[in-house]
Amino acid sequence: MSATRITDLDALLAVLARGAGVDDGEGLDLLAHSLQCAANVARNVPDDVELQVAGLVHDIGTVLDPGHPESHARTGGDAVGALLGARVAALVAQHAVAKRYLVTVDAGYERRLSPKSVATLAVQGGVLDDRELAAFEARADRDACVALRRADDAAKVAGRVVPALDHWRPALEECAATRR
């Protein structure tokens, strides 16, 4: 797929809404998963709107280019950067690497992953090698990347009630207005 750049808030909301029809393989659709992830981040990190928005859009690459778990994080980051800013884009782009990081540094982490996350881990590169580990640990946003990953892992509860997509419009507008 050619690189998609989303530069309009209404277009972004439309792509997110399309996730309502996409089975994420976890017993809920991508929109429900994304809304749960954003709600988890908001609960855990209430003062970081950019991280919350990253939670909302973290799997947008799957909607834009289905069937490519190995590249969905980078696709998503590339798609939202122009609208939501470099930090949101970087967090989205790194959420799969953060999974690989946690598998590398936490011996029990992989056992807590869903079956789908275990399956995609292999195509995303598996455990980090020494060079990749050092690079990820050196990231200034490492802790935020890990927080997003943990919120993602916990966002797989079928039927969980969380705020709807329209709830997130002010946060999206804030990120769009202050993108850096």
Side-chain angles (χ1 to χ4, degrees), residues 8 16 29 33 40 42-43 46 49 51-52 64 73 76 82 87 89 116 118 126 147 152 156-157 178 180:
D8 173 83
L16 289 168
D29 65 36
H33 170 67
N40 290 344
R43 184 182 62 252
V49 173
L51 184 55
Q52 293 167 29
L64 294 170
R87 181 167 182 251
K116 182 178 180 204
V118 171
D152 181 4
K156 299 174 182 185
V157 181
T178 61
R180 45 192 146 101

Side-chain angles (χ1 to χ4, degrees), residues 62-166:
T62 300
V63 177
L64 294 170
D65 191 19
H68 295 280
E70 72 283 358
S71 59
H72 84 287
R74 175 61 54 203
T75 297
D78 289 347
V80 302
L83 178 63
L84 300 176
R87 181 167 182 251
V88 172
L91 292 168
V92 170
Q94 292 297 310
H95 82 274
V97 177
K99 175 172 62 172
R100 296 177 60 211
Y101 170 75
L102 288 168
V103 168
T104 303
V105 300
D106 178 351
Y109 177 75
E110 186 172 357
R111 288 190 306 272
R112 295 187 300 272
L113 289 174
S114 70
K116 182 178 180 204
S117 285
V118 171
T120 59
L121 175 65
V123 298
Q124 293 165 341
V127 298
L128 298 176
D129 63 30
D130 291 342
R131 180 190 54 79
E132 292 169 320
L133 178 62
F136 188 79
E137 287 183 332
R139 292 184 65 90
D141 63 355
R142 180 194 68 208
D143 291 344
C145 290
V146 169
L148 174 57
R149 181 70 232 173
R150 292 192 185 282
D152 181 4
D153 292 334
K156 299 174 182 185
V157 181
R160 181 172 169 223
V161 177
V162 295
L165 186 56
D166 62 343

